[in-house]
Amino acid sequence: MKRLYISLTLLLSFFSFAYCGDGTPVIESIDGNKLTTASFESAFDTALDTLSRTQNIEKKNVIKFLTEEESKVPQSFLQLRNEFRKRKFFDRYHEMMVVKAAADKSGFSKRSDIKEILKFQEMQLIYGMYIAEQIESRIKITEQELNQGCQELRTKYKQAESLTLEQCYDAARAQIKGRKSEEVYKSVLDRIKETVAIKHNDKFDLEKYLDKEFSFPELSKEEAPKVEETKAPEAITPTPAPEATK
């Protein structure tokens, strides 16, 4: 499995924290937002689903990695496995609710620069998840491919010999899916572009614009030469008058 570059904090940062009464026990209320057992468990499930979609790992395998013996869990998943323990997840989730409430109260969340960052993050997340879903719908893996992939794994890796047939099939499926995803990625992206109306401005020279490097006003200010301070002329010490002849 590829290394996971995602943390629980990042997963939780995409959530919305607005709750109403759902009929389940209220754990506590944070500035009017009720944290209930149902909302907490829903957040946990959403985090699992987000991880599954952003990392292209089947949700059932994510759950399996969280519940199996540590020796059977891929090294790359061990850190996240610890973060998804119920108590650890609750502590982080509760902490983020408190901080978000404070940020909303201070007006931080309404700042234009913060809104732009959140908009960009949302676009990145939708981009990855939508493409992954479209690729998933194009990939078909047969029983024969799984069997062949399993045999190749057992031949290539000695540790694969101890895997059960189901575990071997899961590992083979992940490899086959990864390979097929790369094969269909471009065609999927082209198909997505066909569904969107794109009209180019023929009067705009895009190549000329892109050939120019970005200019950063902040950098320009830092590199601007310092103006030398004008020093006042030094005072001239008057020559003492000669003493009178006695």
Side-chain angles (χ1 to χ4, degrees):
M1 183 196 298
K2 61 184 176 181
R3 186 177 177 184
L4 300 174
Y5 292 96
I6 193 164
S7 67
L8 184 57
T9 300
L10 182 57
L11 291 173
L12 291 174
S13 68
F14 300 122
F15 293 175
S16 175
F17 298 94
Y19 301 110
C20 56
D22 52 27
T24 62
V26 176
I27 301 173
E28 63 184 15
S29 179
I30 302 172
D31 265 7
N33 291 321
K34 292 180 180 178
L35 174 55
T36 66
T37 55
S39 64
F40 167 64
E41 290 166 11
S42 175
F44 185 85
D45 186 65
T46 302
L48 292 179
D49 195 35
T50 306
L51 179 62
S52 169
R53 290 172 178 271
T54 55
Q55 298 298 314
N56 196 22
I57 307 171
E58 291 186 47
K59 192 173 179 179
K60 67 174 186 178
N61 286 334
V62 172
I63 295 172
K64 187 185 298 184
F65 293 152
L66 294 177
T67 55
E68 281 189 333
E69 295 177 14
E70 191 170 300
S71 59
K72 297 180 180 179
V73 178
Q75 188 71 27
S76 57
F77 205 89
L78 288 178
Q79 184 177 353
L80 273 178
R81 174 187 167 96
N82 181 55
E83 292 187 7
F84 270 93
R85 295 190 187 283
K86 191 175 183 179
R87 186 176 298 277
K88 181 72 174 288
F89 187 93
F90 177 81
D91 289 343
R92 183 66 60 82
Y93 183 64
H94 174 267
E95 185 178 276
M96 292 188 71
M97 282 193 68
V98 170
V99 172
K100 186 178 186 303
D104 291 344
K105 185 181 292 186
S106 69
F108 178 85
S109 308
K110 294 181 180 180
R111 278 172 33 185
S112 59
D113 57 335
I114 301 304
K115 285 183 177 180
E116 288 301 316
I117 291 172
L118 293 176
K119 187 191 301 183
F120 186 73
Q121 281 194 326
E122 181 186 30
M123 184 168 60
Q124 284 183 310
L125 188 62
I126 291 175
Y127 168 86
M129 290 197 302
Y130 186 68
I131 288 182
E133 187 172 279
Q134 296 304 304
I135 288 176
E136 183 79 21
S137 66
R138 292 276 301 274
I139 294 177
K140 306 298 179 187
I141 301 175
T142 66
E143 188 77 16
Q144 183 179 356
E145 287 177 311
L146 286 176
N147 186 48
Q148 183 179 345
C150 179
Q151 290 179 6
E152 290 175 356
L153 284 174
R154 292 189 190 280
T155 302
K156 192 173 181 180
Y157 303 104
K158 189 173 182 180
Q159 58 268 37
E161 296 176 1
S162 61
L163 296 177
T164 65
L165 185 60
E166 183 183 1
Q167 290 172 333
C168 192
Y169 272 21
D170 284 341
R173 183 181 290 106
Q175 285 206 343
I176 295 170
K177 183 188 287 189
R179 185 177 67 249
K180 289 193 174 187
S181 295
E182 292 180 0
E183 292 172 356
V184 303
Y185 172 78
K186 189 178 184 307
S187 61
V188 166
L189 192 57
D190 289 341
R191 181 67 61 87
I192 291 174
K193 290 178 180 179
E194 290 173 2
T195 66
V196 179
I198 302 175
K199 186 176 181 181
H200 300 286
N201 179 8
D202 295 331
K203 295 181 179 180
F204 182 76
D205 191 338
L206 180 60
E207 291 303 316
K208 183 179 179 181
Y209 170 74
L210 294 178
D211 281 341
K212 290 183 179 180
E213 294 294 337
F214 278 115
S215 59
F216 300 96
E218 295 84 358
L219 189 61
S220 300
K221 289 178 182 178
E222 290 178 6
E223 294 183 348
K226 294 182 179 179
V227 178
E228 292 186 6
E229 296 180 1
T230 305
K231 294 183 179 180
E234 294 182 2
I236 300 175
T237 304
T239 304
E243 293 182 0
T245 304
K246 293 182 181 179

